[in-house]
Amino acid sequence: MRLLEFIYYLSILFAAALKSFAVSKIPIQEITAEYIIYSGLLYIFFNYQQLYKKKLMYTMVGYAVVLMISAFFAIPNITLLQFNNSLLFPILFLISAIFFYRQPDKVSYMKYVGIVGLVLAYFNLVRLSTEANLRTTVTLQNNAGNTLVAISPFIFLWRKDHIRIILLVVILLGCLVALKRSGFIIFILICLGYITVRTHKGIFSRSIIYSSLILMILWVVLVNNEDGVLLMDRLENAAEDGGSGRDDLIEHTFHLLSYNDFSDWFFGSGYESFRVDNWKYFNRLNTCAHNDYCEILYGAGAIALIYFISIMVQLWKRVVVLYKQYNKYTLSFLSCFIVLFGASMFVCSFVHIWYYMLLYCLLGCLYSVTLSGYGKD
């Protein structure tokens, strides 16, 4: 039975990776979403006892239920694929949390998932250098830049510091090539988290040496590489372009909300409704709000937003607990939080964008194994 459950979880990881790294929209992506959602709902139902006395898992179930209710109110303006996509975050988290609570000894395999993800992200970077179509180039750039950052927390599952540093440098170089401003900022925050946790454990001198190495490589690349200069230009222009128009999108969100009726405020206007209304009223490109809090409030309503904020608060509390325990998974969990919180501010990482699906799995994994007492030094 444990072997069958392990094989099932591997199939979930495969489906999540396929949806995260595939650039073109292909039918298999729809099938993977359906497989994750419907098999996941059955898996959660038959293992509901694993949810007992686990507040974050209860909250995640509540968030999924509210999303389902919001989808019901959005009928007939929501498709089955949109319904499935909206549930990917809570379902993947719960599948992983239940699996690793039952089999916490399998956590060591997750570091190899990170290596596979790194290879797939670099495969998209190679395609980026040879792609002639502008639309595909932008898609590849977004995919590679975001998935590289999403892989970062997996790196800290490796116990050797020199392996971590090598892999972090590989990710850094990929982020610079992809020219993702938000990804670069999140990466720097992850490095600061690395320094903080390592110095907290008393490994001060080694942390300074490794951190200096990363900063030196970063300086060399930025100063002597044209791509690095372009990235610096983008960072310097962040205030002028309003974060690539994000300021306008946030303003549009609250302007559109002023037209909502009572039920829309509580249960939203429907999945991806911001895209439609933003184009309809502002003649703006077909784009999401680029902020999860605005997107969830407009699309799923205030109740869903309250659940989402509660999830983020509970994740941060868990980081603090692990930090105080000197838990060996603190770095990975903290990095997960940094990536997801940062992405929730800059893109719709929990709603429309599927670059972070493997990260959802890792988050559920680390939540359960640390809850089971694993990783205490």
Side-chain angles (χ1 to χ4, degrees):
M1 191 65 183
R2 283 173 58 88
L3 178 59
L4 289 176
E5 188 177 26
F6 181 58
I7 293 172
Y8 166 70
Y9 187 70
L10 288 178
S11 72
I12 290 293
L13 289 175
F14 176 79
L18 185 62
K19 192 165 178 66
S20 290
F21 292 94
V23 174
S24 57
K25 293 184 177 180
I26 51 179
I28 194 67
Q29 284 188 302
E30 299 183 13
I31 297 172
T32 55
E34 292 172 355
Y35 174 69
I36 291 170
I37 297 302
Y38 301 122
S39 70
L41 287 172
L42 286 173
Y43 182 72
I44 294 166
F45 176 78
F46 287 112
N47 294 280
Y48 69 91
Q49 66 276 9
Q50 304 297 335
L51 306 177
Y52 184 61
K53 289 186 177 181
K54 301 177 184 68
K55 185 178 179 180
L56 179 56
M57 294 174 74
Y58 277 142
T59 307
M60 201 68 74
V61 170
Y63 179 59
V65 170
V66 172
L67 291 178
M68 292 179 188
I69 296 172
S70 297
F72 175 79
F73 277 92
I75 294 173
N77 297 321
I78 186 171
T79 65
L80 181 61
L81 177 61
Q82 290 174 332
F83 172 75
N84 293 335
N85 285 341
S86 68
L87 292 173
L88 283 170
F89 166 55
I91 296 300
L92 280 171
F93 177 90
L94 289 168
I95 292 173
S96 292
I98 290 172
F99 172 77
F100 282 100
Y101 195 80
R102 292 162 61 89
Q103 300 192 37
D105 56 302
K106 298 294 193 300
V107 66
S108 59
Y109 290 100
M110 292 299 281
K111 61 185 178 184
Y112 301 111
V113 175
I115 298 298
V116 172
L118 190 57
V119 171
L120 292 174
Y122 259 84
F123 176 75
N124 281 337
L125 274 180
V126 172
R127 287 185 59 193
L128 176 63
S129 63
T130 59
E131 181 59 50
N133 183 279
L134 178 61
R135 185 179 181 86
T136 306
T137 298
V138 172
T139 304
L140 283 166
Q141 183 183 23
N142 288 331
N143 187 290
N146 285 286
T147 50
L148 279 168
V149 173
I151 291 303
S152 301
F154 287 86
I155 302 308
F156 297 112
L157 294 177
W158 293 87
R159 305 314 305 159
K160 301 291 185 179
D161 272 322
H162 65 276
I163 296 178
R164 292 174 172 178
I165 296 302
I166 292 171
L167 294 175
L168 283 174
V169 169
V170 171
I171 290 173
L172 171 61
L173 295 176
C175 287
L176 293 173
V177 172
L179 295 177
K180 289 304 294 178
R181 181 166 56 190
S182 56
F184 179 74
I185 293 171
I186 292 171
F187 180 85
I188 295 300
L189 292 175
I190 290 173
C191 290
L192 292 175
Y194 171 74
I195 296 170
T196 302
V197 172
R198 297 300 281 172
T199 52
H200 178 63
K201 288 191 172 185
I203 315 176
F204 182 77
S205 58
R206 191 187 303 175
S207 300
I208 293 298
I209 293 172
Y210 287 141
S211 304
S212 300
L213 176 62
I214 291 179
L215 292 175
M216 183 175 65
I217 293 172
L218 177 61
W219 181 83
V220 170
V221 172
L222 289 178
V223 171
N224 297 292
N225 184 277
E226 183 181 355
D227 291 340
V229 174
L230 289 172
L231 180 61
M232 291 304 293
D233 290 340
R234 294 202 68 205
L235 289 170
E236 291 171 0
N237 294 332
E240 296 178 12
D241 64 13
S244 298
R246 285 175 173 83
D247 292 349
D248 290 339
L249 291 172
I250 294 173
E251 183 180 338
H252 291 178
T253 304
F254 288 97
H255 185 82
L256 292 170
L257 282 168
S258 65
Y259 295 105
N260 280 0
D261 56 28
F262 184 78
S263 62
D264 287 340
W265 269 97
F266 278 92
F267 298 107
S269 303
Y271 184 81
E272 291 193 329
S273 57
F274 180 84
R275 291 179 182 269
V276 177
D277 292 344
N278 193 44
W279 173 260
K280 180 179 178 181
Y281 292 103
F282 295 101
N283 197 27
R284 190 68 186 264
L285 290 175
N286 182 24
T287 183
C288 65
H290 282 71
N291 179 286
D292 275 315
Y293 305 93
C294 291
E295 188 73 32
I296 291 171
L297 178 60
Y298 192 79
I303 299 176
L305 179 61
I306 291 170
Y307 268 102
F308 181 73
I309 293 173
S310 177
I311 289 169
M312 297 303 289
V313 170
Q314 290 180 56
L315 288 175
W316 175 248
K317 287 181 177 179
R318 191 68 193 151
V319 169
V320 173
V321 169
L322 296 179
Y323 182 77
K324 291 179 178 179
Q325 291 178 347
Y326 294 91
N327 193 290
K328 69 180 182 181
Y329 296 118
T330 304
L331 265 172
S332 287
F333 204 100
L334 174 60
S335 299
C336 284
F337 179 82
I338 290 173
V339 172
L340 293 177
F341 179 75
S344 73
M345 300 299 292
F346 300 127
V347 296
C348 297
S349 58
F350 294 90
V351 184
H352 300 299
I353 308 300
W354 317 125
Y355 309 135
Y356 305 94
M357 291 179 64
L358 289 178
L359 194 61
Y360 304 156
C361 297
L362 179 62
L363 191 66
C365 159
L366 295 175
Y367 174 74
S368 277
V369 296
T370 55
L371 210 62
S372 302
Y374 272 65
K376 290 184 179 180
D377 288 346

